[in-house]
Amino acid sequence: MSLLVVEGLEKSFAGVHAVAGYRLELPEGAIHGVIGPNGAGKTTLFNLISGYVRPDAGRVRFAGRDITHLPAEARVRLGLARTYQNIRLFKSLSVLDNVRVAAQLHGSAPFPHVLLSTPRFRASEARIRREAEELLDLFGLGPHRDARAGSLPYGLQRKLEIARALAARPRLLLLDEPAAGMNPAEAAQLVAQIRSIRDRFGLTIMLVEHVMPVVMGLCDRIQVLDHGEIIAEGSPEAVRRDPKVVEAYLGTAVEA
Amino acid sequence: MIERWQARVRAMSLLAGLALLALALLGLQYGASTYVQRVAVDIGIMIILTVSLNLSNGYTGVFSLGHTGFMALGAYGSALLTMTPQVKALNLPDLPAWLAHVHLGFLPALVLVGLAAAAVALAVGYPILRLTGPYVAVATLGFLVIVHIVIINAQAYTRGARTFLGLAPLTNLWWVYGAVVVTIYTAWRIVNSPIGRAMLAVREDPVAARGAGVDILRARLWSFAVSAFFTAVAGALWAHFILAFSASSFWFAVTFEVIVMLIVGGLGSISGSVAATVALSILSEVLRNAERGVTLFGYHTPALYGLSQIVFALVFIAFIVYRPQGLFGDREFSLWPILARWYPPLREAVMAGRQLAE
Ligand SMILES: Nc1ncnc2c1ncn2[C@@H]1O[C@H](COP(=O)(O)OP(=O)(O)O)[C@@H](O)[C@H]1O
Ligand SMILES: [Mg+2]
């Protein structure tokens, strides 16, 4: 069954088609790649799917539900989490608190319990903390839990963003250029990590990426966007050889 | 293990702190001049104003310039609820009958004006808390202006621009510091809870906060309403302390004063708010006395009226320029590091506990 179904999605900014006629049927458990040159509309596509941008036309169905008109925070509650191309952490909060903000989504005690610090409040806080710390340990962030998120080195900030997204217990995870700014060794490690979290949490993943070894190594299927339109689609092998793709965008990058 | 132990120490130091506060209040009540007592009451009220403003301006990043409006609501509201029907007949002959006969105790009046202010905060916040940055500041300032105009025009309830009189002197050290304790306790509980983390997340990055499932408007409304509640309580305490006030009492001067204390203490630090309020209140009190001219080492300084306000503003500017994060930044004063420094076994115990936990 398809976890995410997108039909006829359109978005223009001041007459420029950022996304046009986009469609997708994403099976549960898949890792789906979206590539394309800068300005092709990849981030806009993620913003449409995650609810930050209203589409001009089209529908988005998630887990059998029409979510086209739901705001982003409601989509997260249904199990659709994401990371951002330009890292967005709660910079002056601790690493632990960054993850706790998302981990508290699933059950926190009501206000009177907070005020009186009842056993129910303390139990829910303990649950939130335990879940957050497990995720931090998974990404090797445990030793940094009390540091301010903004003080982490770049690579760890990317990991913290993924940990925070996972704390929302998503079914679908959208990763916008997760390997951006990483060196090849870090990128290779990231590939292994993304695969392992997919298996561990039973996730479906959709990712935008420029780093070709990451895309080719991870994805079951790839769509290529250019000027907002899908110009090619298929397995990594097929897309890599597609002359249209090579011409439009990849060029030498494919060989690399 | 260590956590339970720490919790026990924390509970004990909380009790010790309360006992110390009670002792200090007893000392003030029986051993201090009326003047010192009045300064202490004033400081307590300012602490409530600053800590509650910190919830919205500091923790949630909703920079309100309109909280003085909630203070006014608390002042006039509690006056109308607590004054006797006879006094009302004398001072406010045009009150509608239902209000003319209301005569409540101080505690229910404080709670009611707090709830009323929270309700107004929700109603006002619903449209304006969708705005961000400077727009929120301007919109909340607009709220203050509206409150001011309403006070001046609602003559039957407020005597318009004339001085409002006839309140009973209900406020004392115990009421004020009782309210201080409740305010700080509530703020502390909220800040260390999912509500507080949502507020902080909204301040740090609204987009990412939504992405973590936080309802931004809801978090902002929470902090705005809770802080309006305590601001109104402070207004009520102030009204029953100063006993005569008018619309112009709730205007830019007090707005500015509270914001200076908040920023000097540090946006996002409760202990910073308390420390800055105490320090700046004492400073401005000393300067206010010096305004009349003092004799120091044989020299007599001339009278310099306005000196205290000028120094206050200079301190503010100096902080904005040289230490914009304020005294404490967004950190809290904590006994642990100090205790650990002076008593090494404690430090070792804490370290050992940490290692065990890991
Ligand atoms: N909020 C916006 N307002 C105006 N134009 C936008 C906005 N977001 C994206 N665009 C435009 O849409 C196009 C696609 O951008 P984007 O989705 O960021 O591409 P990509 O992520 O593939 O690099 C670009 O031309 C960009 O300038
Ligand atoms: Mg992009």
Side-chain angles (χ1 to χ4, degrees):
Chain A
M1 204 200 103
S2 298
L3 181 62
L4 182 74
V5 180
V6 184
E7 290 162 7
L9 207 57
E10 307 266 347
K11 183 69 196 180
S12 302
F13 293 110
V16 177
H17 284 295
V19 170
Y22 181 83
R23 43 155 190 75
L24 173 69
E25 284 194 22
L26 187 58
E28 192 129 28
I31 299 184
H32 180 82
V34 177
I35 62 173
N38 267 328
K42 306 178 297 293
T43 295
T44 303
L45 174 64
F46 270 22
N47 286 340
L48 287 164
I49 294 174
S50 58
Y52 283 102
V53 169
R54 295 269 139 128
D56 299 331
R59 292 203 316 159
V60 182
R61 292 179 69 79
F62 177 70
R65 221 182 121 160
D66 190 332
I67 59 164
T68 314
H69 301 292
L70 281 187
E73 59 273 21
R75 296 185 197 204
V76 178
R77 286 165 191 277
L78 291 180
L80 201 164
R82 68 171 288 186
T83 65
Y84 306 86
Q85 182 176 347
N86 308 306
I87 301 177
R88 285 182 172 275
L89 290 172
F90 308 125
K91 286 204 185 71
S92 62
L93 303 194
S94 71
V95 166
L96 177 65
D97 277 346
N98 267 267
V99 182
R100 281 205 284 190
V101 169
Q104 70 193 27
L105 187 62
H106 299 281
S108 56
F111 186 57
H113 292 270
V114 170
L115 207 52
L116 301 174
S117 190
T118 60
R120 177 167 163 197
F121 168 73
R122 275 175 289 162
S124 72
E125 282 297 280
R127 195 273 302 163
I128 291 164
R129 191 188 179 99
R130 194 178 55 244
E131 279 189 25
E133 289 188 337
E134 276 170 19
L135 283 166
L136 290 181
D137 289 340
L138 188 64
F139 286 92
L141 286 160
H144 304 281
R145 85 182 85 143
D146 295 323
R148 288 186 195 251
S151 74
L152 290 181
Y154 185 82
L156 288 183
Q157 292 198 15
R158 284 247 172 249
K159 287 183 179 176
L160 177 55
E161 245 203 343
I162 298 177
R164 182 180 64 190
L166 289 175
R169 297 190 199 156
R171 295 177 68 184
L172 172 62
L173 179 62
L174 307 181
L175 301 171
D176 198 348
E177 304 203 16
M182 288 189 177
N183 63 39
E186 287 173 321
Q189 194 205 5
L190 183 78
V191 168
Q193 214 150 27
I194 290 176
R195 222 185 250 120
S196 100
I197 58 170
R198 190 261 312 257
D199 296 340
R200 183 179 170 137
F201 297 99
L203 287 176
T204 307
I205 291 175
M206 191 167 169
L207 69 108
V208 162
E209 191 48 82
H210 278 300
V211 181
M212 279 310 132
V214 173
V215 183
M216 298 296 165
L218 266 177
C219 300
D220 310 313
R221 281 181 77 77
I222 292 174
Q223 286 177 321
V224 187
L225 292 191
D226 193 17
H227 298 296
E229 290 180 34
I230 303 170
I231 58 164
E233 184 165 6
S235 68
E237 277 314 304
V239 166
R240 189 206 287 264
R241 282 192 303 266
D242 191 318
K244 256 197 299 188
V245 177
V246 176
E247 182 191 338
Y249 152 64
L250 292 172
T252 53
V254 182
E255 269 68 56
Chain B
M1 178 57 202
I2 189 91
E3 299 214 331
R4 186 180 295 172
W5 184 65
Q6 272 190 332
R8 200 170 297 160
V9 172
R10 203 172 293 144
M12 264 158 49
S13 38
L14 193 70
L15 283 179
L18 285 176
L20 248 128
L21 178 65
L23 270 179
L25 291 178
L26 279 172
L28 279 169
Q29 179 155 18
Y30 295 109
S33 66
T34 329
Y35 168 72
V36 171
Q37 289 174 358
R38 291 187 69 83
V39 171
V41 164
D42 202 52
I43 290 176
I45 292 171
M46 290 306 292
I47 289 176
I48 302 173
L49 289 173
T50 312
V51 169
S52 55
L53 190 65
N54 207 341
L55 277 179
S56 92
N57 293 31
Y59 286 92
T60 320
V62 170
F63 207 92
S64 167
L65 294 176
H67 267 57
T68 307
F70 298 121
M71 195 186 163
L73 198 157
Y76 284 98
S78 73
L80 289 172
L81 292 174
T82 58
M83 279 158 67
T84 61
Q86 294 88 319
V87 173
K88 283 185 198 168
L90 206 64
N91 287 309
L92 301 161
D94 301 325
L95 270 188
W98 67 270
L99 196 54
H101 291 101
V102 173
H103 182 208
L104 295 181
F106 202 22
L107 185 62
L110 290 177
V111 174
L112 275 180
V113 294
L115 292 175
V120 171
L122 292 178
V124 170
Y126 194 75
I128 69 179
L129 294 183
R130 291 158 204 274
L131 306 170
T132 49
Y135 300 102
V136 179
V138 173
T140 50
L141 191 59
F143 167 69
L144 175 58
V145 172
I146 290 170
V147 169
H148 189 72
I149 292 169
V150 168
I151 292 173
I152 287 177
N153 285 290
Q155 302 238 0
Y157 301 85
T158 62
R159 293 171 47 88
R162 290 174 297 158
T163 302
F164 191 100
L165 302 153
L167 297 81
L170 300 173
T171 299
N172 59 29
L173 282 166
W174 300 94
W175 279 108
V176 169
Y177 282 89
V180 166
V181 168
V182 173
T183 307
I184 293 177
Y185 175 80
T186 307
W188 182 248
R189 293 267 30 110
I190 288 180
V191 167
N192 292 290
S193 78
I195 304 167
R197 287 193 292 268
M199 284 163 38
L200 288 164
V202 168
R203 176 192 76 191
E204 291 290 306
D205 189 331
V207 170
R210 292 181 68 193
V214 174
D215 184 332
I216 297 180
L217 184 61
R218 203 179 130 93
R220 287 189 177 140
L221 284 172
W222 255 109
S223 75
F224 203 53
V226 173
S227 87
F229 180 99
F230 288 108
T231 301
V233 168
L237 290 167
W238 186 79
H240 286 90
F241 165 64
I242 212 84
L243 304 179
F245 51 84
S246 69
S248 62
S249 309
F250 306 99
W251 205 221
F252 296 131
V254 58
T255 306
F256 180 65
E257 203 178 341
V258 178
I259 284 179
V260 170
M261 289 170 174
L262 174 62
I263 287 177
V264 168
L267 292 165
S269 168
I270 294 171
S271 38
S273 287
V274 175
T277 304
V278 172
L280 288 179
S281 298
I282 291 173
L283 174 71
S284 83
E285 204 53 44
V286 167
L287 290 168
R288 216 169 295 169
N289 290 328
E291 281 177 357
R292 279 180 247 124
V294 288
T295 309
L296 259 186
F297 309 118
Y299 293 100
H300 191 76
T301 62
L304 288 167
Y305 292 105
L307 176 73
S308 69
Q309 276 152 301
I310 291 174
V311 172
F312 208 75
L314 286 177
V315 166
F316 181 53
I317 293 168
F319 262 91
I320 295 252
V321 174
Y322 296 108
R323 201 175 161 81
Q325 76 275 33
L327 285 174
F328 284 40
D330 59 1
R331 291 171 189 279
E332 292 297 346
F333 171 80
S334 165
L335 270 180
W336 287 108
I338 298 169
L339 282 177
R341 186 172 313 154
W342 290 99
Y343 188 59
L346 186 61
R347 182 174 54 217
E348 279 152 30
V350 171
M351 299 298 277
R354 252 196 213 138
Q355 271 158 16
L356 270 183
E358 274 163 14

